Amino acid sequence: MAVDISIPRYRENLFSTEAILDPYPHYAALRAAGPAVWLPRQRVFAISRYAECKTVLRDDATFLSGCGVSLNPVANRLGRGTTLNSDAEEHATKRFVLAHRLTPKALREVTETIERFADSVVDTALASNRIDGVDDLATALPLSVVPDLIGWPHDGRAELLRWAGATFDSMGPINRHSVGAAKAAAEMLAFARRIARDRSVLDDSMGSDVFRAADEGMIDKKSCPALMIDYLAPSLDTTIGAISSALYLFAQNPTQWRAVRSDPGLIPRAVNEVVRIESPLRAFSRTAARDTDIGGVKIPGGSRVLVLFASANRDPTEWDEPESFDITRDAARQLGFGWGVHGCAGRTLARLETTSMLRALADRVERIELAGTPKWGVNNIIRRLERLPLELVPADRRRA
Ligand code: HEM
């Protein structure tokens, strides 16, 4: 495919280790370069501004997910059969089979359990002087709640975090990160195939819904393994990322934490603001169904476009002072959960988990203090902390 020479090009590698660890200067350069910028290394058009990202996400008839949303053909082939990688009728049917389990109404039943669990996680953390915000706080809820909802067998849970992180990493361009992750991602798929073969899901779970839909002919039986992973893989690192980034941001911004403590009603806004400023999912791609244009830039049919959610969320033409963490801002329109028909099917649950952790902390913790140097993980698609040494200063419960 010949790319119009007038289209701006960006020759830096958005997927180098350095750019993964510090992506924001790259996003700013892309936004300044134009509404659609050609990345010669990955042979995709990068969409980095808020308005154009939203336009692409809304127009699912032109910008397709069915050819895969990853940046390499192997991951796109392995992802066939998922809700994420489907279009139109097929997408609507697949989403219908499972998304009803994650509506606000359906989640009301589990809300109390999640809140109680968050309370006990924070109580346990408070018993130690020093904790790791990722291992001791952020991981607990995601790693228990979704596997139970999906009905993932207990004997296959030990490797879940490694598998799910690798599944995201393997969705980047072909580079050493995605190649290194391919084996673990394939192990997850092999395990899901075993579950589908043995029907070893827990009763009355999302997994059992999948098998019922296949038996009733609503979905193809071959999709079952992919659908088992469809909701599990995107539920872990993303939510762990949101909770751990929230802890880091509040540790760096003590006045914002004081505001949350004095008015816990701010927590839902804070969750949107965290997902805006440190979007856990960097980007996914689409394929143009026909010749089209984005912000006046000609996009030939068949091209791949990369929707940079994380860049849109820091676009200064959309956000005042996008680099500052401000929990009083209304960030409900942030694109960190996507937008349009493929908008995150698990966002209500992700919000519930993050809100429950922050409520439990606000009730018990006067200050969140950094107790060492945080470490960001290296993953093509996910931005999340790997290590976050913290000290939690307990509140005087008599005053709180
Ligand atoms: C803070 C946490 C989360 C973030 C930031 C996040 C982000 C996203 C984004 C950006 C998309 C859009 C993908 C696209 O347009 O191609 C998406 C889709 C999706 N997410 Fe999430 N997610 C989170 C949590 C979860 C959880 C907890 C679950 C499951 C319980 C989940 C399940 C899904 C599914 C199934 C889709 C595909 C929806 C479709 O294609 O119709 N996510 N997520």
Side-chain angles (χ1 to χ4, degrees), residues 64-84:
L64 306 178
S65 297
C67 310
V69 299
S70 309
L71 283 172
N72 72 77
V74 180
N76 282 331
R77 206 172 48 244
L78 291 174
R80 276 186 200 148
T82 56
T83 314
L84 184 67

Side-chain angles (χ1 to χ4, degrees), residues 61-388:
T62 307
F63 298 103
L64 306 178
S65 297
C67 310
V69 299
S70 309
L71 283 172
N72 72 77
V74 180
N76 282 331
R77 206 172 48 244
L78 291 174
R80 276 186 200 148
T82 56
T83 314
L84 184 67
N85 288 16
S86 56
D87 293 310
E89 280 285 295
E90 183 195 348
H91 172 257
T93 308
K94 285 184 171 159
R95 191 145 169 152
F96 174 80
V97 171
L98 288 179
H100 69 98
R101 293 266 190 177
L102 297 171
T103 59
K105 192 167 164 226
L107 288 171
R108 241 171 261 148
E109 268 181 42
V110 290
T111 300
E112 219 180 285
T113 315
I114 291 177
E115 286 173 348
R116 268 206 312 271
F117 191 37
D119 289 346
S120 77
V121 170
V122 174
D123 283 335
T124 308
L126 272 169
S128 309
N129 269 348
R130 295 274 167 96
I131 58 153
D132 182 79
V134 181
D135 288 347
D136 300 323
L137 290 173
T139 309
L141 279 182
L143 206 50
S144 74
V145 174
V146 186
D148 281 349
L149 282 174
I150 302 273
W152 195 267
H154 289 283
D155 69 340
R157 295 192 182 190
E159 300 295 336
L160 272 183
L161 254 190
R162 186 174 67 85
W163 285 347
T167 300
F168 272 120
D169 211 3
S170 72
M171 295 171 82
I174 294 193
N175 59 13
R176 65 193 165 97
H177 309 304
S178 57
V179 171
K183 185 167 171 282
E187 283 170 25
M188 187 171 197
L189 189 56
F191 193 85
R193 289 200 177 113
R194 210 180 88 197
I195 298 176
R197 192 194 60 213
D198 302 345
R199 301 230 164 173
S200 52
V201 286
L202 308 184
D203 289 343
D204 191 25
S205 61
M206 293 169 79
S208 57
D209 288 351
V210 167
F211 297 129
R212 191 172 323 110
D215 291 341
E216 289 169 1
M218 265 178 88
I219 55 164
D220 182 357
K221 282 203 164 96
K222 281 200 290 234
S223 306
C224 289
L227 282 168
M228 288 301 302
I229 293 180
D230 204 8
Y231 280 67
L232 188 52
S235 70
L236 300 178
D237 289 278
T238 51
T239 318
I240 295 170
I243 298 173
S244 49
S245 286
L247 295 167
Y248 186 29
L249 287 160
F250 281 120
Q252 292 171 302
N253 295 275
T255 45
Q256 303 271 315
W257 184 244
R258 277 197 292 279
V260 160
R261 289 206 69 223
S262 57
D263 179 7
L266 285 170
I267 290 176
R269 276 191 176 217
V271 174
N272 273 328
E273 177 64 351
V274 169
V275 175
R276 181 193 70 79
I277 198 165
E278 285 297 1
S279 308
L281 213 161
R282 298 176 76 195
F284 272 155
S285 72
R286 299 288 191 265
T287 303
R290 53 177 172 79
D291 290 354
T292 182
D293 82 280
I294 297 176
V297 175
K298 285 201 187 102
I299 308 288
S303 321
R304 210 163 256 284
V305 300
L306 181 66
V307 184
L308 286 152
F309 310 109
S311 171
N313 283 340
R314 289 194 181 211
D315 180 349
T317 61
E318 182 63 27
W319 309 97
D320 290 335
E321 297 188 36
E323 317 292 327
S324 71
F325 175 60
D326 175 5
I327 59 161
T328 61
R329 99 165 72 221
D330 180 2
R333 65 191 186 287
Q334 53 84 14
L335 301 184
F337 288 114
W339 202 266
V341 295
H342 287 279
C344 179
R347 63 186 169 237
T348 309
L349 178 60
R351 284 201 165 100
L352 174 62
E353 292 175 61
T354 313
T355 304
S356 304
M357 274 317 281
L358 292 179
R359 283 230 163 89
L361 284 159
D363 191 30
R364 296 163 170 79
V365 174
E366 176 97 39
R367 287 194 312 280
I368 301 170
E369 291 182 349
L370 277 181
T373 311
K375 181 170 180 262
W376 289 96
V378 178
N379 186 301
N380 278 316
I381 304 294
I382 288 290
R383 176 160 175 82
R384 86 158 170 91
L385 287 156
E386 213 167 82
R387 200 172 56 226
L388 180 61

